[in-house]
């Protein structure tokens, strides 16, 4: 996700959601992975439950205006090529070409 966020620049807003973690361990992970995109905290998993995701990781593709175009939640992380393909398909945005 970091590679996609960096390549996307201002074209796509990438926002991470720290789910079901306390703030300190989450911040440690953010620092260890050198994540630069903004993160919000959802310790009670409200977002996860509201989108109907069955588990983590989950990735939402949200259009301008807030319309959720696609929810990816298969239990495995997406790689950069998969994120690019989904962003193109559901948001009409090509980042890595």
């Amino acid at each position: 996700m970091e590679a996609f966020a960096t390549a996307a620049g201002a074209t796509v807003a990438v926002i991470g959601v720290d789910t079901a973690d306390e703030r300190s361990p989450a911040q440690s992970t953010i620092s260890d992975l050198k994540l630069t995109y903004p993160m919000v905290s959802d310790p009670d998993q409200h977002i996860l439950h509201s989108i109907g995701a069955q588990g983590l990781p989950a990735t939402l593709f949200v259009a301008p205006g807030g319309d959720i175009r696609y929810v990816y939640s298969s239990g495995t992380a997406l790689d950069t090529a998969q994120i690019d393909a989904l962003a193109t398909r559901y948001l009409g945005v090509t980042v890595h070409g």
Side-chain angles (χ1 to χ4, degrees):
M1 195 59 70
E2 179 65 29
F4 179 82
T6 300
T11 304
V12 176
V14 173
I15 301 170
V17 178
D18 178 45
T19 302
D21 279 336
E22 295 296 323
R23 193 64 146 159
S24 180
Q27 190 58 50
S28 177
T29 300
I30 292 165
S31 296
D32 290 349
L33 296 175
K34 297 178 175 56
L35 302 177
T36 60
Y37 51 86
M39 299 287 285
V40 296
S41 181
D42 184 23
D44 298 321
Q45 301 183 30
H46 293 296
I47 296 170
L48 186 68
H49 296 303
S50 71
I51 62 171
Q54 299 302 309
L56 296 173
T59 303
L60 282 70
F61 292 83
V62 182
D67 180 37
I68 297 174
R69 298 280 175 89
Y70 181 71
V71 175
Y72 174 88
S73 176
S74 77
T76 59
L78 292 165
D79 64 26
T80 304
Q82 292 169 312
I83 296 168
D84 285 342
L86 291 169
T88 299
R89 181 174 182 182
Y90 293 103
L91 302 177
V93 174
T94 301
V95 173
H96 286 101

